Amino acid sequence: MKYFLIIVFFITISSGEKKQNQTETTELENQSSEVFQLKKGADLIASNDCMACHHIENKIVGPSYKEVAAKYSTVDEAMLAQTIIEGGSGKWGVVPMTAHPTLSEEDATKMVRYILSLK
């Protein structure tokens, strides 16, 4: 009986460790996926004409990405993605933002998520 209890004790401990390891692994996978998605957003910005008017920290023609991140939140993702695709004006002054109609909504959203991550 004594040996049985010892075996049950070790099985319980090892299953708890497995669950903790699985949780840690899942968290790392989620973080890796999030970092990967943010990198894709940054890559999309770099491969389009965005940097001609925007900079991460400094205002050029349009606001810096950090200014955008400070003004908006994740609640505004869809609106910001549509602004990238359709263009717009009036949110940051009189200079209009050029439309990017060839971008998919998915790609524009990745770009927005990267920008918002700069808070």
Side-chain angles (χ1 to χ4, degrees), residues 54 63-73 80 92 115-116 119:
H54 300 279
S64 72
Y65 292 134
K66 286 193 174 187
E67 288 175 307
V68 174
K71 184 174 181 175
Y72 296 102
S73 71
L80 292 170
W92 295 92
I115 293 166
L116 294 178
K119 287 188 183 211

Side-chain angles (χ1 to χ4, degrees), residues 76-88 91 105 108-109 112:
D76 304 306
E77 277 183 9
M79 179 272 297
L80 292 170
Q82 282 308 118
T83 300
I84 291 171
I85 294 168
E86 297 172 1
K91 293 178 183 146
E105 191 171 324
T109 300
V112 168

Side-chain angles (χ1 to χ4, degrees), residues 90-103:
K91 293 178 183 146
W92 295 92
V94 296
V95 178
M97 180 170 155
T98 307
H100 299 85
T102 59
L103 277 175

Side-chain angles (χ1 to χ4, degrees), residues 2-71:
K2 183 177 175 182
Y3 294 112
F4 176 74
L5 291 175
I6 292 171
I7 292 170
V8 169
F9 175 75
F10 283 115
I11 290 172
T12 303
I13 289 174
S14 69
S15 71
E17 288 175 2
K18 285 180 186 176
K19 287 181 184 177
Q20 183 178 357
N21 287 341
Q22 289 172 342
T23 302
E24 290 172 358
T25 300
T26 302
E27 287 175 12
L28 286 173
E29 288 171 351
N30 289 341
Q31 289 173 358
S32 295
S33 176
E34 184 178 335
V35 168
F36 178 75
Q37 292 301 318
L38 292 176
K39 173 142 179 23
K40 286 186 89 169
D43 290 346
L44 284 163
I45 287 171
S47 67
N48 283 281
D49 64 348
C50 307
M51 299 303 279
C53 296
H54 300 279
H55 185 268
I56 292 175
E57 295 183 14
N58 304 313
K59 176 180 176 25
I60 299 178
V61 174
S64 72
Y65 292 134
K66 286 193 174 187
E67 288 175 307
V68 174
K71 184 174 181 175

